[in-house]
């Protein structure tokens, strides 16, 4: 805005495609994943589920996610999304393969190794958690934080960039020190033992800015000048 001057308009981020009717194959996948997730959660009764949503990548802190789960026996990790390739593996600050092997042997890591195609699948996985923890290194934005708000889940994000600003300014969650797994544990424990209902109103208000209706209104107002 300072560089180009008026008119400057704020545009809502598009965090996901609009929901579409499921195909028979998608409905079948949902049933399979629902069964897998139910069995995983039943095997981890008493543990706090932690969701890593999306592709296993350095910029999203997949290695930090695994480190966090490994260091906290009272947690269980859920990862719907594709796995990493050799290029991504070379970026991680630790060798994630032994961590994955150990956590799976302990029954504390569930991974689909597949892209999440439908809104109902997203709702299934977000519905398994109480707080959405993100280990992002790239803190300029995150569509999954917006999606977490859509499902009414408070967030715990790094204290940098747009992620940290949005969590604090909109009161939709808390922050922890960037890349600090120890501080993440402290902050997560505080949230899990707090009254999470305080975030319900702020989450609704935040999500409204990015809803399908808000995006539609932006384009019709700007393009049609209504």
């Amino acid at each position: 805005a300072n560089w180009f001057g008026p008119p400057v308009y704020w545009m809502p981020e598009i965090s996901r495609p609009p929901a579409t009717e499921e195909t028979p194959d998608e409905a079948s996948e949902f049933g399979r994943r629902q069964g897998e997730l139910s069995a995983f959660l039943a095997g981890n009764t008493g543990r706090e589920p932690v969701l890593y949503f999306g592709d296993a990548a350095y910029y999203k802190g997949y290695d930090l996610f695994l480190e966090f789960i490994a260091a906290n026996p009272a947690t269980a990790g859920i990862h719907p999304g594709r796995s990493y390739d050799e290029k991504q593996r070379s970026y991680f600050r630790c060798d994630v393969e032994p961590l994955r092997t150990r956590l799976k042997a302990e029954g504390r890591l569930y991974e689909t190794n597949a892209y999440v195609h439908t809104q109902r699948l997203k709702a299934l996985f977000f519905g398994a958690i109480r707080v959405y923890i993100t280990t992002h290194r790239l803190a300029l934005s995150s569509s999954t934080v917006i999606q977490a708000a859509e499902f009414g889940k408070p967030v715990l994000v790094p204290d940098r960039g747009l992620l940290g600003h949005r969590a604090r300014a909109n009161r939709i969650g808390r922050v922890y020190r960037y890349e600090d797994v120890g501080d993440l544990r402290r902050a997560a424990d505080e949230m899990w033992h707090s009254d999470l209902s305080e975030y319900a109103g702020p989450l609704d208000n935040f999500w409204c800015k990015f809803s399908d209706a808000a995006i539609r209104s932006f384009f019709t107002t700007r393009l049609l000048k209504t």
Side-chain angles (χ1 to χ4, degrees):
N2 290 335
W3 291 341
F4 296 104
V8 176
Y9 304 105
W10 180 81
M11 174 181 166
E13 292 173 47
I14 301 174
S15 63
R16 56 158 178 76
T20 57
E21 187 174 346
E22 283 185 346
T23 66
D25 286 344
E26 289 170 341
S28 175
E29 181 186 10
F30 176 84
R32 184 171 72 256
R33 299 302 188 196
Q34 186 179 44
E36 292 172 355
L37 181 61
S38 295
F40 177 76
L41 294 175
N44 284 281
T45 301
R47 293 192 173 105
E48 193 73 43
V50 179
L51 177 67
Y52 176 101
F53 190 84
D55 293 351
Y58 176 81
Y59 84 93
K60 297 183 75 170
Y62 176 72
D63 49 336
L64 302 177
F65 162 74
L66 292 182
E67 287 181 23
F68 176 74
I69 300 299
N72 295 278
T75 64
I78 301 169
H79 171 212
R82 293 174 293 201
S83 191
Y84 52 85
D85 56 22
E86 287 305 311
K87 185 175 183 180
Q88 286 297 319
R89 184 178 179 180
S90 70
Y91 296 153
F92 297 141
R93 73 178 189 180
C94 66
D95 188 354
V96 298
E97 202 54 42
L99 275 181
R100 290 180 73 226
T101 301
R102 170 188 150 191
L103 291 171
K104 288 185 175 182
E106 294 174 357
R108 292 203 295 127
L109 179 64
Y110 166 57
E111 297 189 287
T112 66
N113 297 307
Y115 184 77
V116 178
H117 289 279
T118 68
Q119 186 72 0
R120 194 156 70 119
L121 265 180
K122 290 177 187 176
L124 173 69
F125 292 117
F126 275 97
I129 59 170
R130 296 192 298 140
V131 175
Y132 177 60
I133 296 173
T134 175
T135 49
H136 271 70
R137 287 186 169 95
L138 180 63
L140 298 178
S141 184
S142 169
S143 62
T144 48
V145 166
I146 298 174
Q147 292 177 65
E150 179 180 6
F151 296 117
K153 304 298 179 179
V155 300
L156 180 56
V157 303
D159 60 354
R160 289 193 184 181
L162 189 60
L163 281 183
H165 169 75
R166 279 182 168 165
R168 288 178 290 215
N170 296 280
R171 297 182 295 112
I172 59 172
R174 301 186 188 183
V175 300
Y176 65 93
R177 284 193 298 273
Y178 183 81
E179 272 194 315
D180 188 331
V181 174
D183 195 52
L184 171 57
R185 179 177 187 172
R186 175 200 59 77
D189 284 340
E190 286 184 358
M191 286 196 74
W192 287 328
H193 289 90
S194 68
D195 181 5
L196 298 177
S197 65
E198 68 177 274
Y199 300 104
L203 284 165
D204 285 342
N205 292 336
F206 179 74
W207 161 245
C208 284
K209 302 173 185 177
F210 304 94
S211 66
D212 293 346
I215 293 169
R216 187 180 304 111
S217 175
F218 171 83
F219 280 109
T220 54
T221 300
R222 296 275 67 83
L223 297 180
L224 303 179
K225 299 186 185 301
T226 57

